Amino acid sequence: MADLSIEFCGIRSPNPFWLASAPPTNTGDQVMRAFDAGWGGAVWKTLGNPIVNVTSRFGGIDYGNTRLMGLNNIELITDRPLEVNLREMREVKKRYPRHTLIASLMVETREEWREIIQRSEDAGADMLELNFGCPHGMCERGMGSAVGAEPKVLEEIARWAMELAHVPVIVKLTPNVGDILEPGEAALRAGVPALSLINTVKSLMGVDLDRMVPLPRVGDASTNGGYCGPAVKPIALHLLAQLARHPQVGKLAISGIGGISNWRDAAEFIALGASSVQVCAAVMHHGYRIVEDMLEGLSDFLDERGMKSVSELRGRAIPAYREWGELDLSYRVVADIDPDKCIGCQLCYVACMDGAHQCIHLPGRTEEESRRAGHTHIPKHVPERVVTAREGTPGARVPFVDEEECVGCNLCQLVCPVPGCITMEEVPTGKPRESWNDRVAQGRDQVPGGLEATAASRGRSR
C-alpha cells in the first residue's frame, strides 16, 4: 500500500488531509474527534483578540438536487477566550502528538504578533498559519484580506512572524486579488517556507425578495461574506497552479484549500502542486467521517498508478498547465453520439443549436426544414444508424453530428445526461504541432477577415 504520510516544512503528518481553520476546528473536543476519525492534521479556528459574532451566519446555494454547492459565511474568528483555546490546544497535542496541529493567527500590531506567536508555540502548535485571507469583518479592521491584498503589508507582517517564530510559518492567501503571484512573491521575499490557499471568495449569497434584504439575513440587513464549497474548486485550482508553476514560489510547501469534497478533488490539488489539502465546507455538510473514503480512495489511486507515496503525485500535472498561446492549434476532436445509449432527450441538439456551432442535426428533416431550424450548413451525408431512441422517450429521434462542422467544443458532452453516450473522439489532422505563439514568432498571426486597417498597419511595421 502507498504511504499516505507526508512531510510539510519538516513536520511529519499521518496523511495529507487536514481540517481548515473554520467552525469544525473551533474546540479541542472537535479536533480530537476529527483525529479519531482519521484526519491527519487540523488548523485551529483563527485566534486573535476577542470578537462578537452575529446570527444568522451562513447562506447556501443549491443546484438541482445538490445541496450546498456553495456556502457563504459571515462568521469571524474564534469568539472564545484566547486562554481557553490555548489550553485546549495543549490538551490536543498532548493526546495526539503525531498529528499535525496548526495555529491560525490574526492580530494587528507587532507586539500582538509577538505575544500570540509565543503563546501558540507554548501551547504545542507545530506550525503557524497567518490568516491574510478573511474577506469580511476582519478586513474592515485592517486584518485578513486587507493584508493579503497589499503585498508590501503582507511582506512586512510575514517578516515579523519569521523573526518571532520558532516553528514553520504558513501564509494563507486571499483569492480576492487581481494577480495571485503578487502576494505569493511577497511571501517568498519575507522568507516564509509555506503558503496555503485559497481563503474564501468575497460574495453576496442572494436576496430575500420578500424582505428585500441580502442573505444571510441579520435582522433588517446583511453584508458580504466568504464563499466556499464545491463551487469554488475551479478558482482554487487555478490560483494554486499559478503559484506552483512559478520558478521560485513553486518551491515552497503549499497547502491546497477550496471545494475539496472527496479523494479525487484532493488528488487534483496534489497533482497541481499541493503537499497537503485542507477541508472545511464538506465537513460542515457531511461530518468528519468523510475522511475515511478520502483515505481509502487516495490510497487505492496511488496503488493503481504504482506510486509509493503522496509526494510522487505532487506536481505531476503542472508541466501540462500552459498559457493559451502555447496550446496546439492542430489538435482536433469531434463529438460522437452513441445511438444505442441515446435516450432521445435532444439536449445536445438544443445546446449546439443555441449555444454552440449548429453541427448536431435531427434525422428525417429535409434541407428546407433544417434551414428553417437555423442550420446554415447542411451535411452531405446522413449516417446510416438508428433513427429513434431505443430507450427514453418513445419515438424520439437520435441526433447525429456533422463532423465537418464540429469544432470539438465539448458542450454536447457536458449537457448529455447519459454517461458515455457522447464522447469526444480525436481526429488526426496530419498537421504538425503549431501554437499561436509559433505563428506570432513567424509573423503569421494575422487571421484573414479582420480589420483592414490592422492588417495594413502590421504590414507597414514589418
Side-chain angles (χ1 to χ4, degrees), residues 23 117 177 297 365 400:
I117 286 173
V177 294
R365 278 181 173 171
F400 67 92

Side-chain angles (χ1 to χ4, degrees), residues 10 12 21 56 69 72 83 92 111 113 139 176 197 238-239 242 246 249 257 260 295 309 325 342 372 427 435 462:
R12 297 294 298 179
S21 174
S56 57
M69 184 70 178
N72 170 284
E83 192 52 54
V92 169
E111 285 309 307
W113 280 105
C139 55
N176 303 297
L197 76 158
H238 165 241
L239 299 182
Q242 285 286 94
H246 187 283
V249 178
I257 316 167
I260 298 168
L295 291 167
S309 67
C342 180
R372 279 204 306 265
V427 177
S435 70
R462 289 169 180 162

Side-chain angles (χ1 to χ4, degrees), residues 19 23-44 80 84-97 99-101 288-289 291:
L19 292 174
T25 60
N26 190 45
T27 69
D29 174 70
Q30 288 175 282
V31 173
M32 287 189 285
R33 285 192 289 113
F35 287 169
D36 286 338
W39 293 90
V43 186
W44 206 273
R80 303 189 310 138
V84 173
N85 279 288
L86 295 173
R87 183 180 70 245
E88 292 178 5
M89 288 177 65
R90 291 189 194 94
E91 183 61 26
V92 169
K93 195 58 188 176
K94 179 180 178 181
R95 294 192 187 185
Y96 299 84
H99 286 69
T100 306
L101 188 63
Y288 297 127
R289 290 191 60 186
V291 76

Side-chain angles (χ1 to χ4, degrees), residues 71-73 133 135-136 174-176 198-204 224-228 231-233 235-236 239:
L71 175 68
N72 170 284
N73 87 88
H136 56 276
T174 174
N176 303 297
I198 60 173
N199 207 310
T200 52
V201 181
K202 185 170 284 192
S203 60
L204 270 178
N224 61 273
Y227 192 50
C228 60
V232 308
K233 176 187 162 188
I235 300 170
L239 299 182

Side-chain angles (χ1 to χ4, degrees), residues 327-385:
L327 301 180
D328 185 7
L329 295 174
S330 299
Y331 179 76
R332 184 168 184 248
V333 293
V334 298
D336 180 71
I337 302 172
D338 186 340
D340 294 326
K341 295 180 179 179
C342 180
I343 60 174
C345 68
Q346 298 178 9
L347 287 174
C348 61
Y349 168 76
V350 174
C352 187
M353 284 299 298
D354 296 351
H357 296 275
Q358 302 81 53
C359 69
I360 296 182
H361 296 257
L362 295 178
R365 278 181 173 171
T366 65
E367 179 176 335
E368 182 181 354
E369 289 172 331
S370 293
R371 292 193 184 281
R372 279 204 306 265
H375 288 287
T376 57
H377 183 275
I378 307 302
K380 299 175 183 177
H381 303 287
V382 177
E384 294 183 5
R385 54 189 291 174

